[in-house]
Amino acid sequence: MKLAATAVAFAYSPEQEVLRSVSLLLGSGQVMFILGANGTGKTTLLECLSGLRAILRGSVMLDSVEIHQLSPPIRARHIGLVPQLHEPVFEFTVEQAVLMGRAPHLGLFGRPGPADFRVVGEAIESVGIAHLSTRPYTKISGGERQLALIARGLAQGARCLLMDEPVAHLDPHHQHEVLSIVRRLADQGFSFAITSHLPNHALLYADWAMFLIDGMSELQGPPATTITEESLRIAYQMDFEIVEGQSGTRAVLPRMLNR
Amino acid sequence: MNQSRRYVNWLLLFIPVATFLFALFLGRYGIRVFDTVRVLLGLDGPTDVFRALILRVRLPRVLAAACVGANLAVVGASFQGLFRNPLVDSRILGVSSGAAFGAALALLLTSQGMLIQASAFAFAMVAIGLVMLVGMRFGSSTLVLVIGGILVGALFNSLLGLIKYVADPLSTLPAITYWLLGSLNATQWSDLPPLLSITGLGLSFFMLLRWRLNLLTVSDTEAMAMGIRVRLLRTILVSVGTLMVAASVALAGTIGWIGLVVPHVARAWVGPDHGRLIPASAALGATTLILLDTVARTVLPSEIPLGVLTGLIGVPAFFLLFLRFLRARGEAR
């Protein structure tokens, strides 16, 4: 399964186009990182890719179907959206929260049955939080909640998950845990488009990196060739240096002038 | 886990039914339980006076209390969910204010019970209509609906003030005041058809949609990404809920707190999953209002207004719940 955006443009108001022309291709088993400065429309792009917003120009195709021609439940069975973390209001258990992902498979008056519970159980298992099933979703850590949201996307049946800054607010250990699970799921054939402010994560976990600059998709390709001192300067308007660690991993550092 | 669940389900059925029967034989005229049961079963024995008292006076009133209580609690629970705000109740959208104005206007012009009920209902509909118009114009987000509701409520409260101001202070004004305090006094069978039918349809509707209500407690974006037509679903739920509140308020007056407190108690008992919260709220709402109404009609020689009782009991109950909530979060000692 692949998700392809071609020259997508979007505007909240006619005067200002948030997205001017975004093209990307997300194949199965791929982890794509979408980088870009604050306010360049990364979240909006994810919402357009998941079919939640009517785009101005261009097209978003799921395999050979224009995504806006799919009904919302059908779309939800293919594409999942994992929003930025927020504090939930009610104390649903992890299992109840993940069960919500079954909605596109149930009729208007439907309630989850044994088969749905089984799917949810497997989803929770596959992100490694089975021990938290009955815990209140409000009382688990941010990283665990992020994993629960991934499980919810899997319970939807989505093969393609769009994640909005999944590791913001997480400590390095949990950042690694969440992204390792993302990586493992990708190896099983799931695809991920992830917005991030951390080029290092793109270098570590991604197959593909893309910069969103002024509403345009620019400079995309494999992270090793895309994330360069030059592209980073264009994206963030400051100087960086790229260093190489002993194990061969590369990392981005801001260039400090007065040292 | 499963066994305790079944136990809770039976309890949820048993409590309101038992309360219902209990309320029928309680009253200013003592009727023995045995005779009450015989009247209900249609057996011979009790005098015609007892029969009339139970079937024509108490039964419609207790039935009305059950319906109104269930409606207010179910709508309160759902509105708290779909506005993602545990402090919301059925009055949030200005419906009760509209109904209060409608009733006061009718009381100013007539004294016919049916007309008062109809006018209260009609103006509740006008109120929600205005809120919906605002919502449609500005995109039906929960914020727009809540602010619209507060404004429409304020508008009708001012109009209500105007009516009180011009009402005859010796006859009409006390009638308006009494209506506003809420009461099921003088409920007759002839008052019930609108309430019974709307309650039946409304509760069935919420029961059918109860699991899906969970999806409205997450952000619009998330719910949409899970294939939910959020705005449509929310509009339909708000409309049906409003009908239930309007029918209840039109008959019983503006009864506060039930729609706020009962859902919290129900949530503390069965958890936030609407699959269980909705039936629990219905059962506890019906029970609570039957009990309060029984107190209202039996404890003092004259009726205690229901709105006063729900406040007197609701306020401390809510305060205790609130403290518990804060304690659980470590924000209070």
Side-chain angles (χ1 to χ4, degrees):
Chain A
M1 207 196 65
K2 65 178 197 280
L3 187 68
T6 316
V8 168
F10 175 84
Y12 288 101
S13 63
E15 310 87 63
Q16 202 184 2
E17 286 186 11
V18 182
L19 302 177
R20 294 195 291 152
S21 175
V22 178
S23 299
L24 57 83
L25 178 65
L26 182 65
S28 57
Q30 215 176 25
V31 176
M32 174 187 290
F33 264 66
I34 299 169
L35 301 166
N38 282 331
T40 46
K42 294 188 295 298
T43 301
T44 309
L45 174 59
L46 293 189
E47 289 172 2
C48 290
L49 291 178
S50 55
L52 301 188
R53 296 198 177 276
I55 56 177
L56 209 55
R57 291 187 302 275
S59 70
V60 180
M61 308 282 285
L62 186 69
D63 286 333
S64 56
V65 191
E66 165 62 41
I67 200 171
H68 291 96
Q69 286 169 0
L70 297 171
S71 74
I74 300 288
R75 210 160 54 208
R77 289 183 207 174
H78 292 98
I79 303 174
L81 182 67
V82 178
Q84 282 185 37
L85 276 189
H86 58 269
E87 200 65 39
V89 182
F90 298 105
E91 291 199 333
F92 287 100
T93 64
V94 169
E95 186 183 45
Q96 285 166 345
V98 176
L99 261 175
M100 292 184 196
R102 294 306 291 163
H105 298 267
L106 297 166
L108 186 59
F109 299 134
R111 298 179 63 205
D116 299 299
F117 278 91
R118 206 156 43 240
V119 173
V120 164
E122 284 164 13
I124 292 176
E125 185 87 61
S126 69
V127 297
I129 53 168
H131 57 290
L132 301 174
S133 276
T134 56
R135 290 270 297 280
Y137 178 65
T138 43
K139 300 251 162 75
I140 59 178
S141 75
E144 292 162 342
R145 209 177 293 158
Q146 196 60 248
L147 293 174
L149 289 175
I150 295 177
R152 194 178 72 187
L154 300 180
Q156 261 173 254
R159 302 290 295 171
C160 173
L161 290 173
L162 311 175
M163 305 181 71
D164 198 7
E165 295 186 32
V167 298
H169 315 300
L170 302 189
D171 65 46
H173 179 98
H174 284 104
Q175 291 179 2
H176 177 70
E177 184 174 284
V178 169
L179 290 172
S180 302
I181 283 170
V182 162
R183 190 63 257 175
R184 204 181 67 220
L185 289 168
D187 294 339
Q188 293 167 23
F190 292 95
S191 46
F192 292 85
I194 297 171
T195 62
S196 175
H197 286 302
L198 299 164
N200 285 329
H201 283 172
L203 286 168
L204 288 168
Y205 305 99
D207 305 300
W208 195 263
M210 184 191 104
F211 285 98
L212 193 60
I213 299 169
D214 290 335
M216 312 272 281
S217 53
E218 304 207 3
L219 308 164
Q220 50 179 321
T225 54
T226 311
I227 296 172
T228 60
E229 291 173 1
E230 201 187 337
S231 65
L232 290 165
R233 188 170 57 241
I234 295 169
Y236 300 110
Q237 308 284 317
M238 64 174 274
D239 289 326
F240 291 89
E241 58 182 323
I242 293 184
V243 298
E244 200 167 303
Q246 287 175 344
S247 58
T249 50
R250 287 157 16 103
V252 172
L253 291 175
R255 195 181 290 278
M256 308 297 273
L257 291 177
N258 304 325
R259 292 219 152 194
Chain B
M1 182 75 186
N2 236 337
Q3 192 137 21
S4 78
R5 240 175 209 224
R6 200 162 303 145
Y7 161 75
V8 168
N9 289 346
W10 281 112
L11 215 55
L12 286 177
L13 192 64
F14 175 76
I15 293 175
V17 171
T19 314
F20 190 91
L21 295 175
F22 176 67
L24 279 182
F25 88 86
L26 268 187
R28 207 143 301 140
Y29 297 92
I31 305 177
R32 286 179 302 157
V33 189
F34 184 61
D35 287 341
T36 311
V37 174
R38 287 177 51 163
V39 169
L40 289 177
L41 293 177
L43 299 174
D44 286 341
T47 64
D48 285 346
V49 178
F50 280 2
R51 189 182 303 277
L53 195 59
I54 290 176
L55 293 182
R56 292 223 205 106
V57 179
R58 288 185 193 165
L59 188 55
R61 181 168 181 165
V62 175
L63 209 53
C67 289
V68 171
N71 282 347
L72 294 180
V74 164
V75 174
S78 341
F79 279 17
Q80 284 169 10
L82 63 91
F83 288 110
R84 290 175 219 121
N85 184 342
L87 299 178
V88 155
D89 78 356
S90 51
R91 295 174 299 181
I92 187 75
L93 294 176
V95 182
S96 302
S97 303
F101 168 75
L105 185 65
L107 283 163
L108 191 66
L109 305 173
T110 169
S111 58
Q112 246 192 299
M114 223 36 210
L115 273 179
I116 296 163
Q117 202 185 332
S119 174
F121 188 82
F123 277 97
M125 290 296 113
V126 171
I128 192 66
L130 287 173
V131 176
M132 289 291 185
L133 272 181
V134 174
M136 276 196 296
R137 173 67 184 76
F138 298 102
S140 289
S141 71
T142 51
L143 180 69
V144 167
L145 286 178
V146 169
I147 290 193
I150 288 171
L151 291 179
V152 169
L155 180 72
F156 277 111
N157 282 340
S158 302
L159 290 173
L160 176 63
L162 188 65
I163 289 199
K164 282 176 162 174
Y165 183 65
V166 299
D168 180 347
L170 292 179
S171 58
T172 316
L173 190 55
I176 293 175
T177 307
Y178 187 72
W179 191 93
L180 289 177
L181 287 174
S183 173
L184 288 165
N185 193 13
T187 304
Q188 297 166 345
W189 278 113
S190 58
D191 299 326
L192 287 188
L195 178 66
L196 286 180
S197 46
I198 289 180
T199 305
L201 289 173
L203 286 183
S204 318
F205 182 76
F206 274 97
M207 279 300 278
L208 283 170
L209 273 165
R210 66 194 195 274
W211 183 76
R212 196 149 280 233
L213 270 169
N214 287 342
L215 274 294
L216 293 182
T217 66
V218 302
S219 72
D220 283 10
T221 311
E222 282 178 271
M224 273 160 36
M226 287 186 272
I228 305 290
R229 292 173 177 90
V230 180
R231 301 218 154 139
L232 180 66
L233 185 59
R234 187 157 58 216
T235 307
I236 295 172
L237 287 167
V238 165
S239 309
V240 176
T242 302
L243 275 176
M244 291 159 74
V245 173
S248 307
V249 175
L251 185 69
T254 45
I255 294 172
W257 295 101
I258 292 276
L260 181 60
V261 177
V262 171
H264 278 277
V265 177
R267 209 174 277 118
W269 192 16
V270 300
D273 175 14
H274 290 79
R276 311 193 67 216
L277 180 61
I278 294 297
S281 296
L284 291 182
T287 308
T288 310
L289 206 58
I290 294 174
L291 284 177
L292 287 175
D293 184 52
T294 307
V295 172
R297 67 189 163 88
T298 54
V299 168
L300 291 183
S302 66
E303 285 259 342
I304 311 170
L306 203 47
V308 171
L309 263 189
T310 54
L312 283 180
I313 297 177
V315 171
F318 182 69
F319 188 66
L320 289 177
L321 272 175
F322 188 60
L323 274 185
R324 227 192 73 161
F325 181 60
L326 288 185
R327 258 190 221 127
R329 290 165 140 219
E331 287 168 26
R333 269 178 297 139

